[in-house]
Amino acid sequence: YTLAERRMSHPGPDHSKANSINDWNEIVGAWYPEETRMHAVYWDSSGAAYDLHDWVTAGGSWSKAAGINDGGQIAGWAADSGNRTHRGFVANVRTGVVRHVPALNDEHESRLYSINGRGKAVGVFKADVFSYHGLLFDANTGTAENLNDRLPPDQRWPHVPQPHNLSGWLLLEAWGINNLGQIAGCGMRSIEGRYVDRAFRLVPRSV
């Protein structure tokens, strides 16, 4: 794969969205070659646009890029074959390497929203039939994990019958990650029997 193969003949493109920019003035997002289908797109520092879909596809007809770091690693998600589900990806425009998020809990559905300079990306994955949980993906190793597994045991969602008087977190979505590994997102917290939606910042123990 080379970027030159995917450069668009027009600088636009029309019907496009820019979602993230890095310090090298590289931008990623999505554009719509058809009204009901979007493709991941990358703009280099000169403003030239590149359709990334054939590179990052997981077998389906649509894809989207959401974040880019200074190393040229792009985070996003793409449809599986048949467009019934989708999975997160990290694609490196410098090296040409693409990694897709593996299945967690036998579920392939996932999305990546943001990536830091160390190749760590965050987003969500389908934890079961009904719910999504926060996701951490390491593009260097190709490993994925449920962010809730990073919580100390005393801060995890209570595994006791309701009603209860314990407190705990269920991390539902991760939207941003910095180079220190700190993760921002939203989740649900139980506070002595009350359930509230609340923003969170997850901090590695070493920070």
Side-chain angles (χ1 to χ4, degrees), residues 51-184:
D51 187 321
L52 302 182
H53 176 75
D54 290 347
W55 182 35
V56 302
T57 181
S61 66
W62 62 264
S63 56
K64 183 176 184 177
I68 184 171
N69 65 17
D70 288 345
Q73 290 177 300
I74 299 169
W77 61 99
D80 285 315
S81 179
N83 297 330
R84 289 185 294 273
T85 60
H86 51 268
R87 68 183 71 188
F89 68 79
V90 171
N92 192 323
V93 296
R94 313 278 194 264
T95 65
V97 174
V98 180
R99 291 186 184 272
H100 286 94
V101 176
L104 284 85
N105 299 346
D106 297 321
E107 295 282 355
H108 280 285
E109 192 164 327
S110 59
R111 300 189 293 272
L112 292 176
Y113 300 136
S114 178
I115 186 166
N116 70 10
R118 298 182 178 183
K120 302 294 180 64
V122 293
V124 299
F125 77 98
K126 191 174 184 180
D128 52 47
V129 175
F130 303 105
S131 62
Y132 286 83
H133 288 179
L135 168 68
L136 176 64
F137 179 66
D138 188 333
N140 303 304
T141 62
T143 56
E145 60 182 296
N146 186 337
L147 274 183
N148 290 279
D149 294 338
R150 292 268 177 133
L151 290 173
D154 61 342
Q155 291 187 11
R156 295 182 184 180
W157 190 257
H159 297 286
V160 296
Q162 299 180 22
H164 60 78
N165 58 4
L166 302 175
S167 296
W169 281 91
L170 184 62
L171 308 182
L172 300 177
E173 295 180 305
W175 287 96
I177 181 169
N178 64 19
N179 289 334
L180 296 176
Q182 298 172 325
I183 298 169

